[in-house]
């Protein structure tokens, strides 16, 4: 799968004229994952052309203002833009009360379901077909977590010349082979993905730490 990392905010505690507060988005169409959500995130999303409507999971490292105060505004903006796609939010204990109190105080409704998942222990908090997200506790002054986005084993490299040798012309059949399907060549021969692709490759890993002192990490 195609991955792109977009830095929406890289400042800390106080924004600068050129840098917003912490927020990083990993894009993998048709999904995207947001790590932390500092203030002004909507403006940065517009500037970076990050979608307000795409399937999204948001991971909050800890409940300090510069990492989470952009979240209520983002949820409200998405509602004003008539988002329909469900949204999942992960973060430390207290996150649910924070969002419920903010929503009730500001009296805004949502046009889409929001699932709030409070992290209670280290380990895998999200396990999907092609990836998983693991957390460990950070070394900070408050409860906080570091996140590891881990891609599972991915298909081997595709070799176009091998496909052509097997009689498979560029087009739809190439896509099927790359997705793991057997295809039939024009001469009736069955071509397997292993005939035109290399061995499975190790998945990629992206780690987001938020605020922390040095520690052993994920290993």
């Amino acid at each position: 799968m195609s991955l792109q990392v977009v830095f929406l905010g890289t400042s800390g505690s106080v924004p600068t004229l050129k840098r917003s507060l912490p927020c990083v988005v990993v894009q993998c169409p048709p999904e995207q994952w947001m790590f932390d959500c500092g203030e002004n995130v909507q403006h940065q999303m517009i500037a970076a052309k990050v979608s307000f409507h795409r399937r999204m999971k948001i991971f909050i490292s800890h409940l300090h203002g510069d990492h989470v105060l952009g979240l209520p505004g983002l949820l409200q903006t998405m509602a004003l833009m008539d988002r329909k796609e469900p949204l999942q939010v992960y973060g430390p204990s207290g996150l649910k009360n924070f969002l419920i109190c903010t929503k009730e105080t500001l009296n805004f409704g949502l046009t889409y379901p929001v699932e709030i998942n409070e992290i209670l222990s280290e380990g895998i908090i999200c396990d999907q077909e092609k990836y998983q997200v693991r957390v460990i506790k950070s070394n900070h002054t408050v409860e906080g977590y570091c996140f590891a986005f881990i891609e599972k084993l991915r298909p081997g490299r595709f070799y176009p010349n091998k496909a052509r040798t097997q009689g498979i012309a560029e087009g739809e059949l190439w896509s099927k082979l790359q997705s793991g399907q057997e295809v039939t060549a024009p001469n009736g021969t069955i071509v397997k993905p292993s005939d035109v692709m290399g061995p499975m490759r190790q998945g990629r890993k992206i780690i987001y730490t938020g605020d922390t002192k040095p520690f052993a990490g994920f290993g």
Side-chain angles (χ1 to χ4, degrees), residues 12-188:
S13 300
V14 178
T16 71
L17 289 175
K18 295 183 178 180
R19 295 192 297 157
S20 290
L21 294 173
C23 184
V24 174
V25 170
V26 177
Q27 293 181 320
C28 177
E31 291 189 78
Q32 56 191 15
W33 303 277
M34 178 177 288
F35 295 90
D36 277 339
C37 191
E39 296 170 75
N40 197 39
V41 66
Q42 302 101 307
H43 182 269
Q44 297 298 92
M45 289 174 68
I46 293 171
K49 298 182 179 179
V50 174
S51 173
F52 288 92
H53 299 279
R54 181 176 291 175
R55 287 161 48 191
M56 179 186 287
K57 292 179 175 64
I58 300 177
F59 302 91
I60 302 298
S61 64
H62 63 286
L63 298 182
H64 275 163
D66 56 332
H67 292 258
V68 74
L69 286 180
L71 187 52
L74 175 60
L75 298 181
Q76 186 172 16
T77 295
M78 286 178 168
L80 292 172
M81 298 180 74
D82 200 30
R83 178 186 172 95
K84 299 299 183 186
E85 190 73 34
L87 181 74
Q88 292 83 41
V89 184
Y90 299 79
S93 56
L95 177 64
K96 186 172 184 178
N97 283 339
F98 166 71
L99 290 177
I100 290 175
C101 290
T102 304
K103 181 176 178 294
E104 291 177 350
T105 301
L106 299 180
N107 192 31
F108 67 87
L110 297 175
T111 59
Y112 55 95
V114 175
E115 176 187 311
I116 304 172
N117 303 277
E118 292 193 340
I119 302 170
L120 303 178
S121 61
E122 298 181 328
I124 298 172
I125 60 170
C126 180
D127 194 5
Q128 302 293 318
E129 179 183 358
K130 295 184 178 180
Y131 69 90
Q132 62 180 211
V133 177
R134 292 179 54 210
V135 300
I136 58 174
K137 288 186 177 181
S138 61
N139 185 4
H140 197 28
T141 56
V142 298
E143 178 187 358
Y145 293 91
C146 304
F147 301 93
F149 170 89
I150 304 170
E151 184 183 26
K152 296 182 180 179
L153 285 175
R154 52 190 177 132
R157 191 174 303 280
F158 179 74
Y159 296 102
N161 289 338
K162 288 187 177 182
R164 295 189 182 100
T165 300
Q166 296 282 350
I168 306 297
E170 184 174 358
E172 182 182 355
L173 295 183
W174 280 21
S175 297
K176 289 184 176 181
L177 285 167
Q178 292 178 72
S179 65
Q181 301 178 55
E182 294 182 356
V183 303
T184 303
N187 63 5

